[in-house]
Each structure stands twice: as C-alpha cells, then as structure tokens.
Amino acid sequence: MRKPILADISLLFVTFIWGTTFVLVQNAISLLEPFSFNGIRFLAAAVMLLLWLFIFERKQLALLNLKMLASGVFIGFWLFLGYATQTIGLVYTTTSKAGFITGLSVIFVPLFSMFLLKQFPSRNAVIGVSIASIGLFLLTMTDVSSLNIGDGFVFICAISFALQIIFTGKFSSKYPTLLLTVIQISTVAVLSILSAFIFEDWRRSFNPEILLAQDVIVALMITSILATALAFWIQTNFQKYTTATRVALIFAMEPVFAAIAGYYWADERLSLSALVGCLLIFAGMIFAELPAKKFPVLRKDKSFQG
C-alpha cells in the first residue's frame, strides 16, 4: 500500500478514536476538572511512551538535541493551548458553537500553510475544505445566538490546533517519531498539571474518591492509551507522508464520529441538517483525495498538448 494512502487511513483511525471517546471524556470531566483530567491523561501517555522508548528504541535518545527538544515543546505548546482555550471557552459558550469554531481549523490549516510554509493546496483540496466547512456548520451550529467571550477562546483553540497540525508536519520528517511524540505529550502534561494547580481546586480533583470513580478510571485508561499515546504517535509518524490540509480535512471527521457515538451510546438524535452535514464533511474529505485534473498546455502554435 502506498504510504500516502496508509497515512490517510491511519489518521482517519485516529479521528475515529477521538470522536468515539468524546462521550467518555464528557462523563469524566463532570467529576474530574478538565485541566486535571488532561494533566493525568497526558502524563500517563508520556510515561507509557517513555518506557517504550527506553526498552525498545533507546538508540533514539542519542539523537536528542536542543533543536529537537525545542521543536517538540513548540508543538506541545500549541496542542496544550488548543485544549486549554477550548476548555475555558466551553464554560461560556455552547457545545455546538464550540464544535463548529474548533472545526474552523480545517480552513486555517491551508491558509497558514501558504503563509508559514509556502505550501499551496490543490484545487480539489480547496473545494474539499469548502464542502467540509459547510458540513461542519450544518452538523454543529444549532445555536446561532450572538458571539460571546467563550467563542473567542474557542477561536484561539482552532488556531492552535491548526498550528499544531502544520508544525507536526514540518518537524515529523526531521526527527525520530517516538522521541518527538514523547516531548510533545510531556509538554502538554506539564502545562496541564501546572494549570490545574493554578486554576482548579486540585485538592478536590486529586481526591481518591474522584480519581477511582468508574467513569474517570475508564476514560483515563482509554484516552491515555488510545486517544493520546497511540493517536499522537500515529499523527507524528504518518503526517510526514501527507499534507497538512489533508490532515485537517481528515480531522474534520471527528464531530461526525462523535455524533455517531452519541447516537449509539448516549441516545442522542441527529437532526436532518446534522445528517446532511455529516455527509458533506465526508464528501469534502473524499473530494480532496481525488487526483487533480491536468489542464492541457497551450503551445506557441496554438495547438493543445495533452
């Protein structure tokens, strides 16, 4: 199988994991505060990957240098900022609006790629992004009330996630996958734990009765292993074989998988517009994968060269 195709399938699997664990996370953060949850989740994932690194990939440690460390911390910072601002934003805005605004990263990625990396998306990618953006609106934007401060925080979240995708693509081809993933995830863990001590009632969060609650234990185990350690390793490993725009389009499927999971596990019902939105997001992703049509070149003698 060609590496770009394998990369897209692997990244779609990551999106499936994130979407289907959304209900688990919602149940857990109703007991354990968000920064505390993310701190424990990312710390557990970092420890698991670090153990794997020392046992099976110790040779990668010889490649560790200041540039790699700075690159991993830089990517981790944007990932942390995305989670942090989304969490703060959800205090003031609705889940539907937050879902739509977060999904705007599908637009920001090709836009920022042009300015930061001088990478220009194909015509099919532009059309696919446009279709998927309309789908995101139909799927998530059930509340069209006026904007508020929470929407502003989630807007920062969308920018942060877009930059994390872009810079993961930039650095993943330069450095060993596992080592770069460990640095990135460890950065999120440290910043999340510090934020928990500063902004949350950490005595309540780290109460054994809460930490050992079934919903919290299940969510932490599944998200730390699948939705964090495995997911970000896959993203870091495979993004080097595809473009940032295609990654953003694939990640736009997350609310689709979340809606499907909500239907089966939380007895949530989708409106007709939401169903159409799901189909448009999927259509946009598929359209962007189609090979670009080659236009005939007009030669000097006015004849066409196919």
Side-chain angles (χ1 to χ4, degrees), residues 18-80:
W18 286 339
T20 52
T21 55
F22 192 77
V23 175
L24 289 175
V25 174
Q26 280 187 316
N27 292 337
I29 62 176
S30 65
L31 299 171
L32 182 63
E33 295 192 69
F35 281 126
S36 301
F37 178 83
N38 282 331
I40 298 171
R41 165 187 169 178
F42 278 87
L43 180 61
V47 170
M48 284 186 285
L49 289 177
L50 193 59
L51 287 174
W52 187 274
L53 178 68
F54 273 101
I55 296 172
F56 299 105
E57 299 287 345
R58 188 175 298 181
K59 59 185 179 182
Q60 290 190 16
L61 292 171
L63 302 174
L64 181 63
N65 55 48
L66 189 58
K67 284 188 176 181
M68 182 194 298
L69 182 63
S71 299
V73 170
F74 187 63
I75 300 172
F77 168 77
W78 291 114
L79 184 60
F80 162 77

Short mmCIF file of all heavy atoms in Angstrom, two decimals, residues 18-80:
data_model
loop_
_atom_site.label_atom_id
_atom_site.label_comp_id
_atom_site.label_asym_id
_atom_site.label_seq_id
_atom_site.Cartn_x
_atom_site.Cartn_y
_atom_site.Cartn_z
N TRP A 18 -10.69 9.67 18.53
CA TRP A 18 -11.04 10.92 19.20
C TRP A 18 -12.54 11.14 19.24
O TRP A 18 -13.09 11.55 20.25
CB TRP A 18 -10.35 12.10 18.50
CG TRP A 18 -8.87 12.17 18.76
CD1 TRP A 18 -8.19 11.62 19.81
CD2 TRP A 18 -7.89 12.84 17.97
NE1 TRP A 18 -6.85 11.90 19.72
CE2 TRP A 18 -6.63 12.66 18.60
CE3 TRP A 18 -7.94 13.58 16.79
CZ2 TRP A 18 -5.45 13.18 18.09
CZ3 TRP A 18 -6.76 14.10 16.28
CH2 TRP A 18 -5.54 13.90 16.92
N GLY A 19 -13.21 10.87 18.11
CA GLY A 19 -14.64 11.10 18.05
C GLY A 19 -15.43 10.17 18.96
O GLY A 19 -16.35 10.60 19.67
N THR A 20 -15.05 8.90 18.97
CA THR A 20 -15.81 7.92 19.75
C THR A 20 -15.52 7.98 21.24
O THR A 20 -16.28 7.43 22.04
CB THR A 20 -15.55 6.49 19.23
OG1 THR A 20 -14.14 6.25 19.19
CG2 THR A 20 -16.13 6.30 17.84
N THR A 21 -14.42 8.63 21.65
CA THR A 21 -14.13 8.76 23.08
C THR A 21 -14.66 10.07 23.66
O THR A 21 -14.50 10.32 24.85
CB THR A 21 -12.61 8.68 23.34
OG1 THR A 21 -11.93 9.67 22.55
CG2 THR A 21 -12.07 7.30 23.01
N PHE A 22 -15.31 10.87 22.82
CA PHE A 22 -15.80 12.18 23.27
C PHE A 22 -16.81 12.02 24.41
O PHE A 22 -16.79 12.77 25.39
CB PHE A 22 -16.44 12.93 22.09
CG PHE A 22 -16.72 14.37 22.37
CD1 PHE A 22 -15.71 15.31 22.37
CD2 PHE A 22 -18.02 14.80 22.65
CE1 PHE A 22 -15.96 16.65 22.63
CE2 PHE A 22 -18.28 16.13 22.91
CZ PHE A 22 -17.25 17.06 22.91
N VAL A 23 -17.70 11.04 24.29
CA VAL A 23 -18.71 10.81 25.32
C VAL A 23 -18.04 10.42 26.64
O VAL A 23 -18.44 10.88 27.72
CB VAL A 23 -19.71 9.73 24.88
CG1 VAL A 23 -20.69 9.41 26.01
CG2 VAL A 23 -20.48 10.18 23.65
N LEU A 24 -17.00 9.58 26.55
CA LEU A 24 -16.27 9.16 27.76
C LEU A 24 -15.65 10.36 28.47
O LEU A 24 -15.71 10.47 29.70
CB LEU A 24 -15.18 8.16 27.39
CG LEU A 24 -15.60 6.76 26.97
CD1 LEU A 24 -14.39 5.96 26.53
CD2 LEU A 24 -16.33 6.04 28.09
N VAL A 25 -15.05 11.25 27.68
CA VAL A 25 -14.40 12.43 28.26
C VAL A 25 -15.43 13.34 28.92
O VAL A 25 -15.21 13.86 30.03
CB VAL A 25 -13.61 13.20 27.18
CG1 VAL A 25 -13.06 14.50 27.75
CG2 VAL A 25 -12.47 12.34 26.65
N GLN A 26 -16.57 13.54 28.25
CA GLN A 26 -17.62 14.38 28.83
C GLN A 26 -18.08 13.83 30.18
O GLN A 26 -18.29 14.60 31.13
CB GLN A 26 -18.81 14.46 27.87
CG GLN A 26 -18.63 15.45 26.73
CD GLN A 26 -19.89 15.61 25.91
OE1 GLN A 26 -20.56 14.64 25.57
NE2 GLN A 26 -20.23 16.84 25.59
N ASN A 27 -18.26 12.52 30.27
CA ASN A 27 -18.69 11.92 31.54
C ASN A 27 -17.62 12.08 32.61
O ASN A 27 -17.93 12.34 33.78
CB ASN A 27 -18.98 10.43 31.34
CG ASN A 27 -20.20 10.19 30.47
OD1 ASN A 27 -21.08 11.05 30.36
ND2 ASN A 27 -20.27 9.03 29.85
N ALA A 28 -16.35 11.96 32.22
CA ALA A 28 -15.26 12.04 33.20
C ALA A 28 -15.07 13.45 33.75
O ALA A 28 -14.89 13.65 34.95
CB ALA A 28 -13.96 11.55 32.57
N ILE A 29 -15.13 14.46 32.87
CA ILE A 29 -14.87 15.84 33.34
C ILE A 29 -16.06 16.42 34.08
O ILE A 29 -15.98 17.54 34.59
CB ILE A 29 -14.46 16.77 32.18
CG1 ILE A 29 -15.56 16.90 31.13
CG2 ILE A 29 -13.15 16.31 31.55
CD1 ILE A 29 -15.23 17.89 30.03
N SER A 30 -17.17 15.67 34.16
CA SER A 30 -18.25 16.09 35.04
C SER A 30 -17.88 15.80 36.50
O SER A 30 -18.48 16.36 37.43
CB SER A 30 -19.55 15.37 34.68
OG SER A 30 -19.44 13.97 34.91
N LEU A 31 -16.88 14.94 36.69
CA LEU A 31 -16.38 14.61 38.03
C LEU A 31 -14.99 15.20 38.28
O LEU A 31 -14.73 15.76 39.34
CB LEU A 31 -16.32 13.08 38.20
CG LEU A 31 -17.65 12.32 38.07
CD1 LEU A 31 -17.38 10.83 38.05
CD2 LEU A 31 -18.58 12.70 39.21
N LEU A 32 -14.10 15.03 37.30
CA LEU A 32 -12.72 15.48 37.42
C LEU A 32 -12.53 16.72 36.55
O LEU A 32 -12.86 16.70 35.37
CB LEU A 32 -11.76 14.37 36.97
CG LEU A 32 -10.27 14.63 37.08
CD1 LEU A 32 -9.85 14.84 38.53
CD2 LEU A 32 -9.50 13.47 36.46
N GLU A 33 -12.01 17.79 37.13
CA GLU A 33 -11.92 19.05 36.39
C GLU A 33 -10.99 18.90 35.17
O GLU A 33 -10.05 18.10 35.19
CB GLU A 33 -11.45 20.17 37.31
CG GLU A 33 -12.46 20.47 38.42
CD GLU A 33 -12.15 21.76 39.16
OE1 GLU A 33 -12.28 22.84 38.56
OE2 GLU A 33 -11.77 21.68 40.34
N PRO A 34 -11.28 19.68 34.10
CA PRO A 34 -10.64 19.45 32.79
C PRO A 34 -9.11 19.50 32.79
O PRO A 34 -8.46 18.62 32.20
CB PRO A 34 -11.22 20.57 31.91
CG PRO A 34 -12.54 20.87 32.54
CD PRO A 34 -12.33 20.71 34.01
N PHE A 35 -8.50 20.52 33.41
CA PHE A 35 -7.04 20.59 33.41
C PHE A 35 -6.44 19.40 34.14
O PHE A 35 -5.42 18.84 33.73
CB PHE A 35 -6.55 21.89 34.06
CG PHE A 35 -6.63 23.09 33.16
CD1 PHE A 35 -7.29 24.24 33.55
CD2 PHE A 35 -6.03 23.08 31.90
CE1 PHE A 35 -7.36 25.35 32.73
CE2 PHE A 35 -6.09 24.19 31.06
CZ PHE A 35 -6.77 25.33 31.48
N SER A 36 -7.08 19.02 35.23
CA SER A 36 -6.60 17.86 35.98
C SER A 36 -6.73 16.60 35.15
O SER A 36 -5.81 15.76 35.13
CB SER A 36 -7.40 17.71 37.28
OG SER A 36 -7.29 18.87 38.08
N PHE A 37 -7.85 16.45 34.47
CA PHE A 37 -8.06 15.27 33.62
C PHE A 37 -7.00 15.20 32.53
O PHE A 37 -6.37 14.15 32.31
CB PHE A 37 -9.46 15.32 32.99
CG PHE A 37 -9.73 14.17 32.05
CD1 PHE A 37 -10.16 12.95 32.55
CD2 PHE A 37 -9.55 14.31 30.68
CE1 PHE A 37 -10.41 11.87 31.69
CE2 PHE A 37 -9.79 13.25 29.82
CZ PHE A 37 -10.22 12.03 30.33
N ASN A 38 -6.78 16.33 31.83
CA ASN A 38 -5.78 16.34 30.76
C ASN A 38 -4.37 16.13 31.30
O ASN A 38 -3.54 15.47 30.66
CB ASN A 38 -5.85 17.65 29.98
CG ASN A 38 -7.00 17.68 29.00
OD1 ASN A 38 -7.42 16.65 28.49
ND2 ASN A 38 -7.53 18.86 28.74
N GLY A 39 -4.09 16.69 32.48
CA GLY A 39 -2.77 16.50 33.06
C GLY A 39 -2.48 15.03 33.33
O GLY A 39 -1.41 14.52 32.98
N ILE A 40 -3.44 14.34 33.96
CA ILE A 40 -3.26 12.91 34.26
C ILE A 40 -3.22 12.11 32.96
O ILE A 40 -2.40 11.19 32.80
CB ILE A 40 -4.38 12.41 35.18
CG1 ILE A 40 -4.33 13.15 36.52
CG2 ILE A 40 -4.26 10.90 35.40
CD1 ILE A 40 -5.52 12.88 37.41
N ARG A 41 -4.13 12.42 32.04
CA ARG A 41 -4.21 11.70 30.76
C ARG A 41 -2.89 11.79 29.99
O ARG A 41 -2.35 10.77 29.55
CB ARG A 41 -5.35 12.29 29.94
CG ARG A 41 -5.36 11.91 28.47
CD ARG A 41 -6.44 12.69 27.73
NE ARG A 41 -6.30 12.54 26.28
CZ ARG A 41 -7.15 13.10 25.40
NH1 ARG A 41 -8.17 13.80 25.82
NH2 ARG A 41 -6.95 12.92 24.10
N PHE A 42 -2.37 13.00 29.84
CA PHE A 42 -1.14 13.16 29.05
C PHE A 42 0.08 12.68 29.80
O PHE A 42 1.03 12.18 29.19
CB PHE A 42 -0.98 14.63 28.63
CG PHE A 42 -1.79 15.00 27.42
CD1 PHE A 42 -3.10 15.41 27.53
CD2 PHE A 42 -1.24 14.93 26.15
CE1 PHE A 42 -3.85 15.74 26.42
CE2 PHE A 42 -1.97 15.26 25.02
CZ PHE A 42 -3.29 15.66 25.15
N LEU A 43 0.07 12.78 31.13
CA LEU A 43 1.20 12.27 31.92
C LEU A 43 1.28 10.75 31.80
O LEU A 43 2.37 10.18 31.61
CB LEU A 43 1.05 12.68 33.38
CG LEU A 43 2.17 12.21 34.32
CD1 LEU A 43 3.52 12.79 33.88
CD2 LEU A 43 1.87 12.61 35.76
N ALA A 44 0.13 10.08 31.91
CA ALA A 44 0.11 8.62 31.78
C ALA A 44 0.59 8.20 30.40
O ALA A 44 1.37 7.24 30.25
CB ALA A 44 -1.30 8.09 32.04
N ALA A 45 0.14 8.93 29.36
CA ALA A 45 0.56 8.61 27.99
C ALA A 45 2.06 8.83 27.82
O ALA A 45 2.75 8.02 27.18
CB ALA A 45 -0.22 9.47 27.00
N ALA A 46 2.58 9.91 28.40
CA ALA A 46 4.00 10.21 28.28
C ALA A 46 4.85 9.14 28.97
O ALA A 46 5.88 8.72 28.44
CB ALA A 46 4.29 11.59 28.89
N VAL A 47 4.40 8.68 30.14
CA VAL A 47 5.14 7.64 30.86
C VAL A 47 5.16 6.34 30.04
O VAL A 47 6.21 5.68 29.93
CB VAL A 47 4.52 7.40 32.24
CG1 VAL A 47 5.11 6.15 32.90
CG2 VAL A 47 4.73 8.62 33.13
N MET A 48 4.01 5.98 29.46
CA MET A 48 3.96 4.75 28.66
C MET A 48 4.90 4.82 27.46
O MET A 48 5.64 3.88 27.16
CB MET A 48 2.52 4.50 28.19
CG MET A 48 1.60 3.97 29.28
SD MET A 48 -0.04 3.54 28.65
CE MET A 48 -0.75 5.17 28.44
N LEU A 49 4.86 5.95 26.75
CA LEU A 49 5.73 6.09 25.58
C LEU A 49 7.20 6.18 25.98
O LEU A 49 8.07 5.68 25.26
CB LEU A 49 5.32 7.34 24.80
CG LEU A 49 3.99 7.26 24.04
CD1 LEU A 49 3.68 8.59 23.38
CD2 LEU A 49 4.02 6.15 23.00
N LEU A 50 7.47 6.79 27.12
CA LEU A 50 8.85 6.90 27.59
C LEU A 50 9.40 5.51 27.94
O LEU A 50 10.57 5.20 27.63
CB LEU A 50 8.91 7.82 28.80
CG LEU A 50 10.30 8.31 29.25
CD1 LEU A 50 10.98 9.08 28.11
CD2 LEU A 50 10.18 9.19 30.48
N LEU A 51 8.58 4.68 28.57
CA LEU A 51 9.01 3.31 28.88
C LEU A 51 9.29 2.52 27.60
O LEU A 51 10.28 1.80 27.51
CB LEU A 51 7.93 2.60 29.71
CG LEU A 51 7.79 3.05 31.16
CD1 LEU A 51 6.58 2.38 31.81
CD2 LEU A 51 9.06 2.74 31.95
N TRP A 52 8.40 2.70 26.61
CA TRP A 52 8.61 2.04 25.32
C TRP A 52 9.90 2.52 24.67
O TRP A 52 10.66 1.72 24.09
CB TRP A 52 7.42 2.31 24.41
CG TRP A 52 7.46 1.53 23.13
CD1 TRP A 52 8.09 1.87 21.96
CD2 TRP A 52 6.85 0.26 22.89
NE1 TRP A 52 7.91 0.91 21.00
CE2 TRP A 52 7.15 -0.10 21.54
CE3 TRP A 52 6.07 -0.61 23.64
CZ2 TRP A 52 6.70 -1.29 20.97
CZ3 TRP A 52 5.64 -1.80 23.08
CH2 TRP A 52 5.95 -2.12 21.75
N LEU A 53 10.17 3.81 24.80
CA LEU A 53 11.38 4.40 24.23
C LEU A 53 12.63 3.79 24.87
O LEU A 53 13.57 3.40 24.17
CB LEU A 53 11.36 5.92 24.45
CG LEU A 53 12.58 6.71 23.96
CD1 LEU A 53 12.68 6.69 22.45
CD2 LEU A 53 12.50 8.16 24.47
N PHE A 54 12.64 3.68 26.20
CA PHE A 54 13.82 3.16 26.90
C PHE A 54 14.01 1.67 26.67
O PHE A 54 15.15 1.18 26.62
CB PHE A 54 13.70 3.44 28.40
CG PHE A 54 14.22 4.79 28.80
CD1 PHE A 54 13.35 5.85 29.03
CD2 PHE A 54 15.58 5.02 28.94
CE1 PHE A 54 13.83 7.11 29.38
CE2 PHE A 54 16.08 6.27 29.30
CZ PHE A 54 15.20 7.31 29.52
N ILE A 55 12.91 0.93 26.50
CA ILE A 55 13.01 -0.52 26.36
C ILE A 55 13.33 -0.94 24.92
O ILE A 55 14.20 -1.79 24.69
CB ILE A 55 11.71 -1.20 26.84
CG1 ILE A 55 11.50 -0.95 28.34
CG2 ILE A 55 11.74 -2.71 26.55
CD1 ILE A 55 10.15 -1.41 28.86
N PHE A 56 12.64 -0.32 23.95
CA PHE A 56 12.73 -0.80 22.58
C PHE A 56 13.43 0.15 21.61
O PHE A 56 13.92 -0.28 20.57
CB PHE A 56 11.33 -1.10 22.03
CG PHE A 56 10.60 -2.16 22.79
CD1 PHE A 56 9.56 -1.81 23.65
CD2 PHE A 56 10.94 -3.49 22.68
CE1 PHE A 56 8.87 -2.78 24.37
CE2 PHE A 56 10.26 -4.47 23.38
CZ PHE A 56 9.23 -4.11 24.24
N GLU A 57 13.46 1.46 21.91
CA GLU A 57 14.01 2.43 20.96
C GLU A 57 15.05 3.33 21.62
O GLU A 57 15.12 4.53 21.32
CB GLU A 57 12.87 3.28 20.37
CG GLU A 57 11.81 2.51 19.60
CD GLU A 57 12.32 2.03 18.25
OE1 GLU A 57 13.36 2.52 17.80
OE2 GLU A 57 11.66 1.16 17.66
N ARG A 58 15.85 2.75 22.49
CA ARG A 58 16.80 3.57 23.25
C ARG A 58 17.79 4.30 22.36
O ARG A 58 18.31 5.36 22.71
CB ARG A 58 17.54 2.68 24.26
CG ARG A 58 18.41 3.45 25.23
CD ARG A 58 19.03 2.56 26.26
NE ARG A 58 18.02 1.90 27.07
CZ ARG A 58 18.31 1.06 28.08
NH1 ARG A 58 19.58 0.78 28.35
NH2 ARG A 58 17.35 0.51 28.78
N LYS A 59 18.05 3.75 21.18
CA LYS A 59 19.00 4.38 20.27
C LYS A 59 18.55 5.78 19.85
O LYS A 59 19.38 6.62 19.47
CB LYS A 59 19.22 3.51 19.04
CG LYS A 59 17.95 3.23 18.24
CD LYS A 59 18.19 2.27 17.10
CE LYS A 59 16.89 1.99 16.34
NZ LYS A 59 17.10 1.02 15.23
N GLN A 60 17.23 6.05 19.90
CA GLN A 60 16.74 7.38 19.53
C GLN A 60 17.23 8.45 20.49
O GLN A 60 17.35 9.62 20.12
CB GLN A 60 15.21 7.39 19.47
CG GLN A 60 14.61 6.61 18.31
CD GLN A 60 13.12 6.85 18.15
OE1 GLN A 60 12.57 7.80 18.69
NE2 GLN A 60 12.47 5.99 17.37
N LEU A 61 17.51 8.06 21.73
CA LEU A 61 17.96 9.03 22.73
C LEU A 61 19.29 9.68 22.32
O LEU A 61 19.57 10.82 22.70
CB LEU A 61 18.11 8.36 24.09
CG LEU A 61 16.81 7.88 24.75
CD1 LEU A 61 17.12 7.05 25.98
CD2 LEU A 61 15.95 9.09 25.11
N ALA A 62 20.10 8.96 21.57
CA ALA A 62 21.38 9.51 21.12
C ALA A 62 21.18 10.67 20.15
O ALA A 62 22.10 11.48 19.94
CB ALA A 62 22.22 8.42 20.46
N LEU A 63 19.97 10.75 19.55
CA LEU A 63 19.68 11.80 18.57
C LEU A 63 19.07 13.04 19.22
O LEU A 63 18.81 14.03 18.54
CB LEU A 63 18.74 11.27 17.49
CG LEU A 63 19.25 10.04 16.71
CD1 LEU A 63 18.16 9.53 15.77
CD2 LEU A 63 20.51 10.39 15.94
N LEU A 64 18.84 12.97 20.53
CA LEU A 64 18.22 14.10 21.22
C LEU A 64 19.18 15.29 21.26
O LEU A 64 20.33 15.16 21.64
CB LEU A 64 17.85 13.70 22.66
CG LEU A 64 17.17 14.78 23.51
CD1 LEU A 64 15.84 15.18 22.90
CD2 LEU A 64 16.99 14.28 24.94
N ASN A 65 18.69 16.43 20.84
CA ASN A 65 19.47 17.66 20.90
C ASN A 65 18.54 18.83 21.20
O ASN A 65 17.32 18.67 21.31
CB ASN A 65 20.24 17.90 19.59
CG ASN A 65 19.33 17.90 18.37
OD1 ASN A 65 18.29 18.56 18.36
ND2 ASN A 65 19.72 17.16 17.34
N LEU A 66 19.12 20.00 21.35
CA LEU A 66 18.34 21.17 21.75
C LEU A 66 17.29 21.55 20.71
O LEU A 66 16.17 21.93 21.06
CB LEU A 66 19.29 22.36 21.99
CG LEU A 66 18.66 23.60 22.63
CD1 LEU A 66 18.05 23.25 23.98
CD2 LEU A 66 19.71 24.70 22.79
N LYS A 67 17.63 21.40 19.42
CA LYS A 67 16.68 21.75 18.37
C LYS A 67 15.46 20.83 18.40
O LYS A 67 14.32 21.27 18.26
CB LYS A 67 17.35 21.69 17.00
CG LYS A 67 18.26 22.87 16.69
CD LYS A 67 18.73 22.82 15.25
CE LYS A 67 19.56 24.05 14.91
NZ LYS A 67 20.03 24.04 13.49
N MET A 68 15.70 19.53 18.58
CA MET A 68 14.60 18.59 18.65
C MET A 68 13.73 18.86 19.88
O MET A 68 12.50 18.84 19.81
CB MET A 68 15.10 17.15 18.70
CG MET A 68 13.97 16.12 18.71
SD MET A 68 14.52 14.47 19.18
CE MET A 68 15.65 14.13 17.84
N LEU A 69 14.40 19.11 21.02
CA LEU A 69 13.67 19.41 22.25
C LEU A 69 12.79 20.64 22.07
O LEU A 69 11.61 20.65 22.45
CB LEU A 69 14.65 19.60 23.40
CG LEU A 69 14.05 19.86 24.78
CD1 LEU A 69 13.22 18.67 25.23
CD2 LEU A 69 15.14 20.17 25.79
N ALA A 70 13.36 21.68 21.47
CA ALA A 70 12.60 22.92 21.25
C ALA A 70 11.43 22.68 20.29
O ALA A 70 10.34 23.22 20.49
CB ALA A 70 13.52 24.00 20.70
N SER A 71 11.64 21.86 19.27
CA SER A 71 10.58 21.56 18.30
C SER A 71 9.43 20.81 18.97
O SER A 71 8.26 21.14 18.76
CB SER A 71 11.15 20.73 17.14
OG SER A 71 12.16 21.43 16.46
N GLY A 72 9.75 19.81 19.78
CA GLY A 72 8.72 19.05 20.47
C GLY A 72 7.94 19.89 21.46
O GLY A 72 6.71 19.79 21.55
N VAL A 73 8.65 20.75 22.21
CA VAL A 73 8.00 21.65 23.16
C VAL A 73 7.11 22.64 22.42
O VAL A 73 5.99 22.96 22.86
CB VAL A 73 9.04 22.38 24.03
CG1 VAL A 73 8.39 23.48 24.85
CG2 VAL A 73 9.76 21.40 24.94
N PHE A 74 7.58 23.12 21.28
CA PHE A 74 6.82 24.08 20.47
C PHE A 74 5.51 23.46 20.00
O PHE A 74 4.44 24.07 20.13
CB PHE A 74 7.68 24.52 19.28
CG PHE A 74 7.08 25.64 18.47
CD1 PHE A 74 6.88 26.89 19.04
CD2 PHE A 74 6.74 25.44 17.14
CE1 PHE A 74 6.34 27.93 18.29
CE2 PHE A 74 6.20 26.48 16.39
CZ PHE A 74 5.99 27.72 16.97
N ILE A 75 5.57 22.24 19.47
CA ILE A 75 4.34 21.56 19.03
C ILE A 75 3.43 21.30 20.23
O ILE A 75 2.22 21.51 20.17
CB ILE A 75 4.67 20.22 18.34
CG1 ILE A 75 5.55 20.43 17.11
CG2 ILE A 75 3.38 19.51 17.91
CD1 ILE A 75 6.07 19.14 16.51
N GLY A 76 4.03 20.85 21.33
CA GLY A 76 3.26 20.57 22.54
C GLY A 76 2.56 21.80 23.09
O GLY A 76 1.44 21.71 23.61
N PHE A 77 3.23 22.96 22.99
CA PHE A 77 2.62 24.20 23.47
C PHE A 77 1.32 24.50 22.72
O PHE A 77 0.30 24.84 23.33
CB PHE A 77 3.59 25.37 23.32
CG PHE A 77 2.92 26.71 23.52
CD1 PHE A 77 2.62 27.17 24.80
CD2 PHE A 77 2.57 27.50 22.42
CE1 PHE A 77 1.99 28.39 24.98
CE2 PHE A 77 1.94 28.73 22.60
CZ PHE A 77 1.66 29.17 23.88
N TRP A 78 1.35 24.37 21.39
CA TRP A 78 0.14 24.65 20.60
C TRP A 78 -0.95 23.65 20.90
O TRP A 78 -2.14 24.00 20.94
CB TRP A 78 0.47 24.68 19.10
CG TRP A 78 1.31 25.84 18.70
CD1 TRP A 78 2.59 25.81 18.22
CD2 TRP A 78 0.96 27.23 18.78
NE1 TRP A 78 3.04 27.09 18.00
CE2 TRP A 78 2.06 27.98 18.33
CE3 TRP A 78 -0.19 27.91 19.20
CZ2 TRP A 78 2.06 29.37 18.27
CZ3 TRP A 78 -0.21 29.31 19.15
CH2 TRP A 78 0.91 30.02 18.68
N LEU A 79 -0.57 22.40 21.13
CA LEU A 79 -1.57 21.39 21.47
C LEU A 79 -2.19 21.70 22.83
O LEU A 79 -3.42 21.63 22.99
CB LEU A 79 -0.91 20.00 21.50
CG LEU A 79 -1.84 18.81 21.74
CD1 LEU A 79 -2.90 18.73 20.65
CD2 LEU A 79 -1.03 17.51 21.80
N PHE A 80 -1.36 22.05 23.81
CA PHE A 80 -1.88 22.43 25.13
C PHE A 80 -2.78 23.64 25.03
O PHE A 80 -3.87 23.67 25.62
CB PHE A 80 -0.73 22.74 26.09
CG PHE A 80 -1.16 23.53 27.29
CD1 PHE A 80 -1.85 22.92 28.34
CD2 PHE A 80 -0.92 24.91 27.36
CE1 PHE A 80 -2.28 23.66 29.43
CE2 PHE A 80 -1.35 25.65 28.45
CZ PHE A 80 -2.04 25.03 29.49
#
